[in-house]
Amino acid sequence: MPQHAPETTHRLVPAPGGRIHLVEQGTGPLVLLVHGFPECWYSWRHQLPALAAAGHRAVAVDVRGYGRSSAPAAVDAYRMTELVADNAAVVHALGEDTAVIIGHDWGANIAAASALLRPDVFRAVGLLSVPYTPPGGPRPSDVFARMGGDEEFYVSYFQRPGRAEAEIEPDVRGWLAGFYAALSAGTMPAPGAPDPHFVSGPTGTLRERFPLGPPPAWLGERDLDVYAGEFERTGLTGALNRYRNMDRDWEDLAAHEGAPLTQPSLFAGGGLDASTTWLADAIEAYPVTLPGLMSSHVLDGCGHWIQQERPAEVNRLLTDWLAGLP
C-alpha cells in the first residue's frame, strides 16, 4: 500500500440534468460510487482512499438533486431513467467507456438500474444495504399504502411534495442526527418500540419516533456538520423527489419485468437493517436474479449505514471483489 494516498479532486462534469459534482481519488479502472438518502458523496469518505490504494480510480458522485450537483425543478426529472443517464454521462465525461458501479440505499437501486439499462457501460455492480429486486410486480404506491395498517409507511409519507420538507427543514441537523441514529446499530429503537419507518396518523412525524440520546459511534460532529451543511443549503426536495417517482419508474421499466442482472455482482447488508430483513426473499432469489453474484454478505450486528458503520470490513469486501473481477 502506498505511504501517501492520492489526493482527492472535486470537479463538476456535464450530464443530462445539468452538472454532476464528483470527488475522485486514485488511478486505474473506474469505480463509480452512488450514495443514498439522505447523504451525499461524503458517505464514501472511507472507501475512496481504500479503493485508490488498491489500484482503482474511485469516484463518488452527488446524485442529481443533492449537494453540489444540479437540481432540476421538475419532479419527474428524478425518475430512474434520468439518473441512469447521469451515471453513464459521468463515465464518459471522465474519458472512460466502462466502469464498475457500487451503490448504497437508493444508490443500490440506481446502480442496479444502471447495470440493467446500460450493460454496455457498467461491467459489474455492487449493492450495499438494499437487495436487488427485478422490475415488475404491483404498482409501488399500492404496495406502500397497504403496509403498516393504521400507520403510514415512510415512503408514502415522503411522496407528497412539501410534506416531509415541512418536518425536516426547520431543523435539518437535528432531524438528520435522529434519522441516522434510528437506523444504526447501537442506537436504533429496541424491538417492540414504535418503528421509525412509520408515522402515526395524518399529523404524525417520523421524528417523534427517533431515539433520544447520543449519536451513533460512526457519526462524528464534523460528519454531521458536512451532511447538515449540504441539506441546509439545498433543502430536501431534490432528495425526496426520488421517492416521488417510484410509480413512474415502475412504468418506465415495465419492459424489463423480472429481468436479472447478469454482470458480476456483490451484495452486502447489515443484519439489523430492515432493508435486509424485510427483503430476505429477494436475497434468497439471487441465484435467479443475480446469476453473476460473486460475493454476498450479511454483517452481523450492523445497521443500515454499512460503509460508515463498518468501513474496514466493507473496504475489504469491496477490494477483494474488485480484485476478482474478470
Side-chain angles (χ1 to χ4, degrees):
M1 187 177 291
Q3 270 187 306
H4 302 291
E7 289 185 8
T8 54
T9 302
H10 290 253
R11 65 164 96 177
L12 291 162
V13 299
R19 296 199 296 174
I20 294 293
H21 168 249
L22 58 84
V23 180
E24 178 178 5
Q25 191 166 359
T27 57
L30 178 59
V31 180
L32 193 66
L33 303 168
V34 186
H35 66 81
F37 176 89
E39 300 172 278
C40 63
W41 76 267
Y42 187 76
S43 69
W44 300 105
R45 63 195 175 279
H46 304 297
Q47 284 67 52
L48 287 165
L51 297 180
H56 301 281
R57 184 184 187 185
V59 171
V61 296
D62 280 339
V63 172
R64 178 189 299 212
Y66 286 84
R68 297 178 225 174
S69 291
S70 296
V75 174
D76 67 358
Y78 298 85
R79 66 207 305 158
M80 188 63 81
T81 51
E82 297 281 343
L83 304 183
V84 170
D86 283 348
N87 288 337
V90 167
V91 173
H92 295 137
L94 293 172
E96 302 287 351
D97 294 321
T98 63
V100 175
I101 189 166
I102 300 171
H104 169 256
D105 180 77
W106 259 123
N109 292 88
I110 297 167
S114 298
L116 181 66
L117 299 179
R118 294 302 306 270
D120 56 315
V121 176
F122 299 104
R123 62 186 181 91
V125 58
L127 309 174
L128 301 185
S129 298
V130 177
Y132 177 61
T133 54
R139 183 179 291 274
S141 58
D142 295 340
V143 175
F144 302 134
R146 291 195 296 268
M147 293 180 68
D150 294 337
E151 298 180 334
E152 185 177 14
F153 192 46
Y154 79 100
V155 176
S156 300
Y157 177 71
F158 282 168
Q159 284 184 332
R160 194 169 84 212
R163 186 178 175 201
E165 288 93 328
E167 173 185 344
I168 302 168
E169 289 178 355
D171 175 21
V172 168
R173 194 177 193 278
W175 193 91
L176 290 174
F179 191 76
Y180 296 146
L183 305 185
S184 294
T187 53
M188 63 177 56
D195 189 333
H197 294 89
F198 295 87
V199 298
S200 54
T203 60
T205 63
L206 288 171
R207 185 173 188 151
E208 64 198 37
R209 297 189 171 188
F210 291 166
L212 303 173
W218 62 266
L219 185 70
E221 289 293 315
R222 180 179 175 275
D223 302 323
L224 184 55
D225 285 344
V226 170
Y227 287 127
E230 292 293 79
F231 286 111
E232 284 166 354
R233 186 172 51 76
T234 64
L236 271 291
T237 297
L240 289 163
N241 278 346
R242 175 81 292 274
Y243 293 91
R244 296 164 185 162
N245 279 279
M246 295 180 76
D247 284 352
R248 286 189 187 92
D249 298 338
W250 179 76
E251 294 168 357
D252 289 343
L253 300 177
H256 300 274
E257 181 165 2
L261 295 183
T262 57
Q263 294 97 321
S265 56
L266 166 143
F267 172 73
L272 300 178
D273 183 9
S275 299
T276 302
T277 56
W278 288 348
L279 293 171
D281 289 349
I283 296 173
E284 288 182 15
Y286 279 169
V288 173
T289 61
L290 289 179
L293 185 67
M294 297 168 58
S295 179
S296 185
H297 311 268
V298 175
L299 307 189
D300 288 340
C302 184
H304 182 65
W305 317 104
I306 181 169
Q307 78 269 34
Q308 298 176 90
E309 292 187 47
R310 299 278 187 85
E313 198 170 349
V314 169
N315 290 349
R316 179 178 56 77
L317 294 176
L318 293 179
T319 53
D320 287 353
W321 172 65
L322 289 166
L325 288 177

